[in-house]
Amino acid sequence: MTARKENSTYTLNEKFITDCDLTYAANKIGGRWKIVILDKLGTRKLRFSELKKEFPYISERMLTLQLRALEQDELVKRTVYAEVPPRVEYELTPIALEFLPIFCQLSAWGRKNKMLKNNRS
Amino acid sequence: MTARKENSTYTLNEKFITDCDLTYAANKIGGRWKIVILDKLGTRKLRFSELKKEFPYISERMLTLQLRALEQDELVKRTVYAEVPPRVEYELTPIALEFLPIFCQLSAWGRKNKMLKNNRS
DNA sequence: TATGGTACAAACAAATTTGTAAGTAATGAC
DNA sequence: GTCATTACTTACAAATTTGTTTGTACCATA
């Protein structure tokens, strides 16, 4: 959300990349956290504090940032319950659900190729 | 490849994330360039200069770095022909080929959801 | 002897991402 | 009136990623 030079190569490259369907999708789930968060939410709704427990070392800041970004991209729906102490639940939207089979395949690739790598070292 | 603090939260988080099959795989193709490069190489072998033409604003340095990383991860095979002027060809390895169907699905997701977004704005 | 094309490498700089530490608001229990 | 709880926010700092610029090795050809 910081200001950015309009015509830096950085920005031109970014545009080029998000024009492509493939990398448009990839960017939605890029970075260190988004995929795991979506994956966790794939099994069930979770509150902020429950999510935090899933990732032992994530900072609250990071978790909030990622959730906000996912919300912005309409991959996650946020529901606030006006209680004290507050309760907030996060769940996947329909378009995020479509990612789940892809995650499965990625996961299968990972499982397989981690094994191959281990058997050689 | 730079030195890093061994037990920073950053590193702990990274370990946590690459332990997971899903994010292990995601990390192999993460960042701005790897997916597009693999995708281009999915159609045919390409030389360095041909790849560069595919991405109008990429710097040679970036392209080299990404190709090196992909080679390191055994997703890309590099062949040098001892000619003058030099010729180097890049092609996918068998394990990289397995990513292609996943890219297709990601691409389909992108196409669909970019359209949805455009129709609303 | 000078020039040109290919595929880089090195030094540096900018931009973005991720992490740290501290603080806030609301409210009901003690 | 103090404290604990939850889900954050803010200001700051560290780490990583990406980009810019300049330079190099190779030898064929002019």
Side-chain angles (χ1 to χ4, degrees):
Chain A
M1 302 292 157
T2 42
R4 220 198 242 161
K5 286 189 189 154
E6 261 314 299
N7 277 76
S8 62
T9 312
Y10 187 93
T11 304
L12 292 173
N13 275 325
E14 188 176 62
K15 267 180 197 147
F16 175 77
I17 277 181
T18 49
D19 274 351
C20 162
D21 290 334
L22 174 57
T23 43
Y24 171 87
N27 272 304
K28 296 286 180 192
I29 54 175
R32 174 170 275 191
W33 297 108
K34 287 181 189 169
I35 284 192
V36 245
I37 293 176
L38 291 175
D39 192 51
K40 291 291 178 197
L41 291 177
T43 52
R44 65 182 186 88
K45 270 188 204 179
L46 289 169
R47 324 180 37 176
F48 187 86
S49 55
E50 290 174 320
L51 267 173
K52 192 161 154 33
K53 269 175 227 146
E54 296 285 345
F55 313 116
Y57 304 110
I58 198 175
S59 61
E60 300 193 337
R61 170 190 153 79
M62 253 308 115
L63 189 50
T64 328
L65 282 175
Q66 301 303 314
L67 286 169
R68 288 281 182 284
L70 290 170
E71 203 191 342
Q72 192 76 35
D73 283 337
E74 300 179 76
L75 295 173
V76 157
K77 185 172 153 227
R78 179 170 179 265
T79 314
V80 183
Y81 296 89
E83 304 171 358
V84 170
R87 182 159 63 100
V88 182
E89 283 188 342
Y90 295 91
E91 65 190 305
L92 297 187
T93 61
I95 70 174
L97 287 172
E98 294 174 38
F99 269 122
L100 296 182
I102 300 179
F103 291 170
C104 268
Q105 289 181 260
L106 268 180
S107 193
W109 188 98
R111 190 166 49 255
K112 181 172 162 190
N113 289 99
K114 264 204 312 196
M115 273 180 35
L116 286 178
K117 195 139 250 184
N118 288 339
N119 291 344
R120 265 178 299 158
S121 61
Chain B
M1 302 288 157
T2 42
R4 224 198 239 162
K5 288 189 189 155
E6 260 314 299
N7 276 78
S8 61
T9 312
Y10 187 92
T11 304
L12 292 174
N13 274 325
E14 188 177 62
K15 267 179 197 145
F16 174 78
I17 276 181
T18 48
D19 274 350
C20 162
D21 291 333
L22 174 56
T23 44
Y24 171 87
N27 272 304
K28 296 285 180 193
I29 54 174
R32 173 169 276 190
W33 297 108
K34 288 181 186 167
I35 284 192
V36 245
I37 293 175
L38 292 175
D39 191 51
K40 292 291 178 197
L41 291 177
T43 52
R44 65 184 187 87
K45 271 188 204 180
L46 289 168
R47 320 177 43 174
F48 187 86
S49 54
E50 290 174 320
L51 267 173
K52 192 161 154 33
K53 270 176 224 144
E54 296 284 345
F55 313 116
Y57 304 110
I58 198 175
S59 61
E60 297 193 337
R61 170 187 153 79
M62 252 308 115
L63 189 49
T64 325
L65 281 175
Q66 300 304 313
L67 286 169
R68 288 284 180 283
L70 290 169
E71 205 191 340
Q72 191 77 35
D73 283 337
E74 299 179 76
L75 295 173
V76 157
K77 185 173 152 228
R78 180 169 179 267
T79 314
V80 183
Y81 296 89
E83 304 172 358
V84 170
R87 183 159 62 99
V88 182
E89 285 189 342
Y90 295 91
E91 64 189 306
L92 298 188
T93 62
I95 69 173
L97 287 172
E98 296 174 37
F99 270 123
L100 296 182
I102 299 180
F103 292 169
C104 267
Q105 289 180 260
L106 268 179
S107 193
W109 188 97
R111 191 165 48 253
K112 181 173 162 190
N113 288 100
K114 263 202 315 196
M115 272 179 35
L116 286 178
K117 194 139 251 186
N118 289 337
N119 291 344
R120 267 178 296 158
S121 59

